[in-house]
Amino acid sequence: MRVASVDLFLGSVVTFSVPGVVVFVSYGGDGNGDFRRRLYVKPDSQVHIHWKGAAEIVLASCTEYIDASGNIVPLDQVKVSFFRNAIEDMAASSLRCVAIAYRTYDMDKVPADEQQKTQWALPQDDLVLLAIVGIKDPCRPGVRDAVRLCQNAGVKVRMVTGDNPQTAKAIALECGILSSAEDAVEPYVIEGRVFRNYSDAEREKIAEKILVMGRSSPNDKLLLVQALKRKGHVVAVTGDGTNDAPALHEADIGLSMGIQGTEVAKESSDIIILDDNFASVVKVVRWGRSVYANIQKFIQFQLTVNVAALVINVVAAISSGDVPLNAVQLLWVNLIMDTLGALALATEPPTDHLMHRNPVGRREPLITNIMWRNLLIQAAYQVSVLLVLNFRGRSLLGLEHETPQRANNVKNTLIFNAFVFCQIFNEFNARKPDEFNVFKGITKNHLFIAIVGITLVLQVIIIEFVGKFTSTVRLNWKQWLISAVIAFISWPLAAVGKLIPVPQTPLHKFFTRIFHRSARSPSKNHSPACSSSLS
């Protein structure tokens, strides 16, 4: 019999060139390795069942082997040890070990009905070993760097595979999931059958330590995902097979493969990696963090604008009954800050700095302590300077010789102009909330530069040419310079402010603790009575 086409390692259907041959193909697996079983009927009615799968599992079912001369020889303990050592040597070299075996079977024991054949459990004992093959599955270029970047970003990479634990260990060392051979011991490296036999409590305890799980089934991956989620972790899972669908669906973020992935896996996932490359996961993390960071930048920037404008107008209204920023001016401020400002900060491209931050937890506040520090420093500076101009502006600006109406208009226009300039300069500070160099990478964001330029041009037009509409007057070059200097000070002030350390505990937790402490403590009027009754 001549085999015309056989693909043992990819699970393709075997075809034969001999007419009248009946071929029955059965796919399966038991969680201990990837098995493919082939049954074909020879013209003389002899039945052969061929097996291909995990080397150590198939070897355990073999009782004979074919030697170099093509003879069938009984498999004694010496040869079993020899084959096992060969498997271990290949696995230690990161080779995926596959054994090929067969056995004969009586034709009259084969179910005749097609429906019965699909439910027939093929015999898996007394096999004859044909060969043990080591398949090299090298890491893609860039995978080791991608794993390192994920680890630096606080993302713990774990490998769950059906391969031999020794093979999985060697591959994990090659791609950097295991840092050294000393880490390649339990519980960092574990077999799927060991993990699934633990109780739920034991799995939760050990799940955080696992780096490599070998000889695992798809259900083991699901159990690991569930254990990690119960411990409060945000879990992302990659997979390409139909059996990976439960784990992809259960994970917080499911990533399926766009080329080799099945339709079931793609439908169960949240993100499809089009190039099937693990290095693309780094791009997912980088862009996800960039979007989150850009939202925080805009919130910090917008709150600074609103707090400063609110305090200036409220204090001025209470003290003198007159506000320096009228409704039209505030409308313009909100327009440039809400629309143009959001567009400028939201288009900031991702940077390597984001990959050195720790991951954000599920319950961490959107406004961090660093944001509160920057916000309060800038808002306090703007409020202080502009209120001083509001109450002492006539004398500080040398407007005593002007009429009261003219002096008031110039003062309010300068306050409005300086306030807008402060927001434009503070837009640069918002780009880098936790870095000193706020200009780093600014040339790469052409939209940011364009928006800042457009805002400056529009502000000049409003002050110089649209004064009637905004209730402003023209300013001379000295007053323009004063506005620019006031705004410029926000840059060194932001750099100095970043030297101020902030506590790790979120700000809202301090107020929560104070509230609970005050709620638990008894009032002074009742404390003597309580003390007396206890005594």
Side-chain angles (χ1 to χ4, degrees):
M1 178 177 295
R2 182 171 61 86
V3 177
S5 173
V6 180
D7 189 344
L8 290 172
F9 305 113
L10 297 180
S12 300
V13 176
V14 182
T15 61
F16 300 91
S17 61
V18 178
V21 174
V22 179
V23 180
F24 170 66
V25 183
S26 173
Y27 295 88
D30 58 1
N32 293 318
D34 185 19
F35 289 91
R36 298 290 183 269
R37 292 162 281 187
R38 307 284 186 268
L39 177 148
Y40 63 85
V41 183
K42 298 176 65 177
D44 56 2
S45 297
Q46 292 181 352
V47 179
H48 279 193
I49 301 172
H50 281 256
W51 286 78
K52 182 270 295 184
E56 69 274 16
I57 306 300
V58 175
L59 178 63
S61 299
C62 294
T63 57
E64 297 175 310
Y65 73 99
I66 295 181
D67 63 8
S69 302
N71 301 318
I72 297 178
V73 181
L75 192 62
D76 56 17
Q77 192 60 40
V78 176
K79 275 297 179 182
V80 169
S81 299
F82 171 78
F83 289 134
R84 284 178 179 170
N85 292 334
I87 293 170
E88 291 177 0
D89 291 341
M90 287 190 289
S93 302
S94 71
L95 295 177
R96 181 172 295 162
C97 300
V98 176
I100 306 168
Y102 83 99
R103 66 157 295 170
T104 58
Y105 204 66
D106 294 335
M107 181 61 189
D108 56 359
K109 294 182 180 180
V110 178
D113 185 70
E114 292 297 329
Q115 181 65 26
Q116 293 178 345
K117 282 184 179 180
T118 58
Q119 300 175 357
W120 176 43
L122 287 145
Q124 54 183 346
D125 55 346
D126 297 332
L127 302 182
V128 179
L129 183 64
L130 291 172
I132 296 175
V133 182
I135 306 172
K136 180 64 175 177
D137 191 7
C139 292
R140 286 174 178 261
V143 168
R144 186 177 182 87
D145 293 335
V147 171
R148 178 179 52 80
L149 287 172
C150 286
Q151 292 171 341
N152 292 339
V155 179
K156 194 170 185 178
V157 182
R158 295 174 170 87
M159 184 172 70
V160 182
T161 176
D163 290 339
N164 183 302
Q166 295 296 327
T167 304
K169 187 190 306 182
I171 295 174
L173 287 169
E174 184 180 348
C175 64
I177 295 176
L178 291 173
S179 58
S180 62
E182 288 75 17
D183 295 334
V185 295
E186 283 196 22
Y188 305 108
V189 178
I190 193 171
E191 283 193 52
R193 62 178 179 79
V194 176
F195 181 73
R196 79 175 73 104
N197 290 333
Y198 284 133
S199 64
D200 290 342
E202 291 173 328
R203 279 198 291 266
E204 288 181 24
K205 186 177 180 181
I206 201 174
E208 294 180 309
K209 300 178 181 178
I210 294 174
L211 293 176
V212 177
M213 186 186 297
R215 199 59 77 209
S216 63
S217 67
N219 189 56
D220 296 333
K221 183 184 287 190
L222 178 61
L223 291 174
L224 179 60
V225 171
Q226 292 172 339
L228 290 171
K229 288 186 68 176
R230 286 195 296 267
K231 293 291 288 184
H233 293 279
V234 178
V235 184
V237 171
T238 62
D240 57 3
T242 302
N243 291 333
D244 293 323
L248 290 169
H249 183 268
E250 181 70 19
D252 296 291
I253 307 167
L255 301 105
S256 63
M257 303 303 162
I259 300 175
Q260 295 184 355
T262 62
E263 290 301 320
V264 175
K266 293 177 184 179
E267 291 175 2
S268 302
S269 63
D270 304 295
I271 299 172
I272 299 176
I273 302 176
L274 297 179
D275 59 359
D276 286 14
N277 194 343
F278 179 78
S280 298
V281 175
V282 177
K283 297 178 183 178
V284 173
V285 176
R286 188 192 301 269
W287 276 101
R289 293 190 175 189
S290 178
V291 171
Y292 186 83
N294 289 345
I295 293 173
Q296 289 183 313
K297 293 172 186 177
F298 174 68
I299 290 176
Q300 174 187 310
F301 175 66
Q302 185 63 27
L303 285 178
T304 305
V305 176
N306 292 336
V307 169
L310 178 65
V311 173
I312 290 170
N313 270 9
V314 167
V315 172
I318 293 175
S319 59
S320 62
D322 185 25
V323 293
L325 302 174
N326 59 40
V328 177
Q329 293 170 358
L330 289 177
L331 182 63
W332 165 241
V333 169
N334 279 300
L335 176 64
I336 63 173
M337 299 308 117
D338 286 344
T339 307
L340 298 179
L343 188 61
L345 293 174
T347 55
E348 280 291 315
T351 62
D352 293 336
H353 177 71
L354 295 172
M355 298 302 291
H356 295 284
R357 293 182 179 179
N358 291 326
V360 178
R362 294 178 183 271
R363 301 185 181 277
E364 289 190 27
L366 183 61
I367 306 178
T368 64
N369 289 351
I370 292 176
M371 294 170 62
W372 280 118
R373 177 195 63 191
N374 299 339
L375 185 159
L376 293 175
I377 289 174
Q378 292 296 326
Y381 167 70
Q382 293 177 20
V383 168
S384 301
V385 173
L386 298 182
L387 283 180
V388 168
L389 287 176
N390 184 64
F391 295 115
R392 295 288 183 267
R394 292 184 63 180
S395 58
L396 293 175
L397 299 174
L399 301 174
E400 293 89 348
H401 61 280
E402 300 284 351
T403 61
Q405 182 64 31
R406 169 67 181 175
N408 189 61
N409 289 339
V410 172
K411 178 198 70 174
N412 288 345
T413 301
L414 181 62
I415 291 174
F416 167 62
N417 196 49
F419 183 70
V420 172
F421 270 50
C422 283
Q423 309 321 317
I424 294 174
F425 278 65
N426 192 40
E427 218 164 343
F428 289 85
N429 294 329
R431 290 185 65 249
K432 306 290 182 182
D434 53 351
E435 295 183 56
F436 288 98
N437 186 6
V438 297
F439 305 104
K440 184 178 179 181
I442 196 170
T443 56
K444 297 179 181 179
N445 193 346
H446 303 291
L447 186 59
F448 182 91
I449 298 174
I451 288 174
V452 170
I454 291 171
T455 306
L456 282 171
V457 171
L458 291 176
Q459 180 65 17
V460 172
I461 293 174
I462 286 174
I463 297 297
E464 296 297 324
F465 304 105
V466 199
K468 187 175 182 181
F469 177 69
T470 57
S471 302
T472 58
V473 296
R474 291 187 175 183
L475 301 177
N476 57 39
W477 68 270
K478 291 183 180 179
Q479 292 160 349
W480 278 100
L481 183 60
I482 290 172
S483 301
V485 169
I486 291 173
F488 177 81
I489 294 175
S490 66
W491 284 348
L493 184 66
V496 173
K498 289 171 185 175
L499 297 174
I500 302 175
V502 295
Q504 295 294 330
T505 305
L507 192 62
H508 73 277
K509 290 188 177 181
F510 286 108
F511 296 103
T512 304
R513 291 174 183 174
I514 293 173
F515 174 78
H516 287 310
R517 193 180 297 115
S518 61
R520 287 195 302 266
S521 60
S523 62
K524 293 182 179 180
N525 294 332
H526 295 287
S527 56
C530 293
S531 176
S532 175
S533 63
L534 289 173
S535 62

